[in-house]
Amino acid sequence: MRIAIAGAGNVGRSIAQELIDNGHQVMLIERQPRMLRPDRVPTADWVLADACELASLEEANVAGCDVVVAATGDDKVNLVVSLLAKTEFAVPRVVARVNRAENEWLFTEQWGVDVAVSKPRVMAALVEEAVTVGDLVRLMTFRQGEANLVEITLPPTAPYVGQPIHAVPLPRDAALVAILRGKRVLVPSPDDPIEAGDELIFVCTAQVEDEVRGVILGPDSVERTRGAG
């Protein structure tokens, strides 16, 4: 893919290097000359320009990008870049960095944002994932809430422990996409049994999360969770 990243600070450069290592073509757009450090990511295309200016984005051919990442340290800039990328250049996928948690509500599709990445939210999800057994943990949201990546670590009392995946009656709009078992990542197949301690990774809509929780952990798990809230 061709990917443009607005902001060549530590975050932008780290994203760029990771994407380049995965075989993508990356362009870094930075408006401050002192932040232009091509030696840090030599295989990226470096552009000295203001990503909030329409003319700069046109000159950089942002319209030819598959993804734009707004990765600056300023939420206002990231919102403007996202809006221009989506509305003026019809970029298929726009990912925006949220610096201040109180601004997260602004990063919606109305501002051109497909995926908002908030460090506090991501860190909270990782903490929950690390310590929570027997409940559903939301790891990430896609498409502004249309679908979520969620995780459930199976306790020994889960109703389908020891049974094959095809026996688990998952609701519509939910899919088991991976099983983490110890240090292994397993691609689920219908005849694979699930075991206590497995971390089950699902993609599902928000509307069916309670149903997934109820199937995997038992109907009373939903009431327990609601009571805890």
Side-chain angles (χ1 to χ4, degrees):
M1 293 188 296
R2 186 168 186 265
I3 301 165
I5 300 174
N10 290 332
V11 172
R13 293 197 306 269
S14 296
I15 296 169
Q17 189 60 63
E18 187 77 20
L19 292 169
I20 289 168
D21 289 345
N22 289 335
H24 302 295
Q25 180 184 351
V26 175
M27 172 175 58
L28 278 160
I29 304 173
E30 176 56 54
R31 67 183 179 87
Q32 298 185 45
R34 64 181 179 81
M35 297 299 292
L36 282 181
R37 299 174 180 174
D39 57 304
R40 298 291 183 91
V41 192
T43 49
D45 297 323
W46 288 75
V47 177
L48 178 61
D50 187 343
C52 290
E53 292 184 357
L54 198 58
S56 297
L57 297 179
E58 286 177 345
E59 189 173 342
N61 190 27
V62 166
C65 292
D66 302 291
V67 182
V68 164
V69 182
T72 78
D74 188 323
D75 285 343
K76 296 188 294 296
V77 171
N78 291 344
L79 286 170
V80 171
V81 171
S82 299
L83 186 62
L84 291 176
K86 184 65 72 174
T87 60
E88 297 294 330
F89 299 99
V91 174
R93 193 74 165 167
V94 176
V95 179
R97 171 188 177 188
V98 185
N99 294 279
R100 298 179 65 87
E102 61 266 30
N103 294 332
E104 191 171 348
W105 65 277
L106 288 165
F107 286 73
T108 65
E109 58 187 7
Q110 282 74 29
W111 277 95
V113 178
D114 293 306
V115 178
V117 181
S118 168
K119 283 195 270 189
R121 171 174 286 189
V122 171
M123 290 180 69
L126 291 173
V127 169
E128 285 190 293
E129 187 273 335
V131 301
T132 302
V133 176
D135 199 3
L136 180 146
V137 176
R138 185 180 296 172
L139 300 177
M140 187 174 292
T141 297
F142 305 107
R143 302 292 299 178
Q144 298 306 315
E146 292 176 22
N148 298 317
L149 186 72
V150 302
E151 183 265 355
I152 298 175
T153 300
L154 286 182
T157 55
Y160 290 96
V161 166
Q163 297 193 41
I165 291 170
H166 68 75
V168 182
L170 288 176
R172 186 178 178 181
D173 297 327
L176 177 62
V177 295
I179 299 173
L180 308 185
R181 182 174 294 160
K183 295 183 178 180
R184 300 177 62 200
V185 178
L186 307 177
V187 178
S189 64
D191 294 327
D192 289 338
I194 55 176
E195 300 177 2
D198 281 355
E199 295 182 51
L200 307 183
I201 309 297
F202 300 89
V203 173
C204 64
T205 62
Q207 290 78 9
V208 302
E209 282 184 1
D210 277 351
E211 292 181 61
V212 171
R213 181 188 283 111
V215 168
I216 300 300
L217 299 171
D220 61 333
S221 65
V222 177
E223 292 304 320
R224 287 200 309 271
T225 301
R226 287 174 177 167

